[in-house]
Amino acid sequence: MRRANFQEGTVDYAAVGATQAHDLMGYPPERSIPAESSWRIGSGQARFDSSAEALLSWAPLRGAGLHISDVRPASGPMYSGVGFDADGNPLVASHLEADQRFDADGTPFVASGTTIRVRGRIKGMSADGELRVIYAIEEPRRVGFGLGTVGDSVVSGEESFVVTWDDSDEVRFAVRAFDRPVSPLYRLLPPLVKRRRRELFQGYLRALSPLYATPS
């Protein structure tokens, strides 16, 4: 059964938070193309801590060759998005508890409600657009966030980035996404959406695992 969508005025798509749904690959939001990958990127707390720090300082996007600008933290009460349980029911969203942090060049770390502008080309394909952090997670063994499109992109949708440190001591990096073609070219040629997404995933992995650990 396809999950119910709802309207949220801060982004340009309805299925806000659907990258957290367990059945995303089987039942993506209508007219969207889903994708997911997971990689082992090491083991132990030191690896988890360094990967989580890199993740929250936007390293995956930069690793894909994207330039981040116009970083605008949420004003007023924090917009924390929405999550889903295993049955697709909405949950109170996770959010970062820590105070706002900054990377070495003064860019604010990921936080719920932050809006950013990204620019770049991936193998000749546009990756420009305005994005918003629709949820953020910072737990002892799990750190991540979801980004939703606000506008000016060739696709509309959401992607999530999560680093976990499991009970077997493995550290894993997982990315999930769904994209609905927006530009005429992408609507005409849906395989371009998959190609664009594949190239982005590889760039994200390069940022956290230069040695390209074994995919799952």
Side-chain angles (χ1 to χ4, degrees):
M1 180 176 180
R2 188 175 297 277
R3 80 192 81 265
N5 291 344
F6 64 93
Q7 294 298 321
E8 173 54 63
T10 59
V11 290
D12 63 7
Y13 62 99
V16 177
T19 48
Q20 298 184 94
H22 75 287
D23 58 352
L24 171 67
M25 296 303 294
Y27 298 96
E30 189 174 3
R31 295 190 297 277
S32 293
I33 300 171
E36 66 178 359
S37 285
S38 174
W39 305 270
R40 181 184 181 277
I41 58 172
S43 61
Q45 183 170 2
R47 182 59 177 159
F48 172 73
D49 289 345
S50 63
S51 298
E53 184 88 355
L55 185 70
L56 296 179
S57 61
W58 311 102
L61 300 183
R62 289 169 168 152
L66 304 180
H67 174 69
I68 298 172
S69 64
D70 194 19
V71 181
R72 289 167 280 153
S75 59
M78 195 68 76
Y79 170 62
S80 55
V82 66
F84 297 93
D85 65 16
D87 297 319
N89 299 310
L91 298 171
V92 175
S94 299
H95 62 280
L96 296 179
E97 299 289 349
D99 292 336
Q100 181 67 66
R101 290 165 291 172
F102 301 85
D103 67 12
D105 66 6
T107 302
F109 270 33
V110 168
S112 294
T114 297
T115 302
I116 63 173
R117 166 70 61 175
V118 297
R119 292 184 174 85
R121 298 190 70 79
I122 309 298
K123 296 277 181 86
M125 295 172 286
S126 172
D128 295 358
E130 187 173 7
L131 307 173
R132 177 157 296 159
V133 179
I134 57 130
Y135 61 83
I137 306 157
E138 194 164 22
E139 300 169 356
R141 286 179 172 261
R142 182 170 176 260
V143 169
F145 64 98
L147 275 178
T149 54
V150 176
D152 303 327
S153 177
V154 294
V155 298
S156 172
E158 184 178 302
E159 57 189 340
S160 68
F161 309 82
V162 179
V163 171
T164 56
W165 175 29
D166 65 25
D167 292 338
S168 69
D169 208 36
E170 284 193 349
V171 177
R172 301 193 69 84
F173 175 41
V175 186
R176 308 182 87 210
F178 59 87
D179 298 306
R180 177 178 58 83
V182 172
S183 75
L185 177 62
Y186 281 71
R187 290 201 302 268
L188 182 64
L189 299 172
L192 285 179
V193 177
K194 294 184 178 180
R195 179 186 168 199
R196 177 182 183 271
R197 176 54 57 190
R198 184 170 58 250
E199 296 296 338
L200 284 169
F201 275 20
Q202 290 302 306
Y204 299 156
L205 176 58
R206 279 193 296 270
L208 294 193
S209 180
L211 297 180
Y212 277 68
T214 304
S216 64

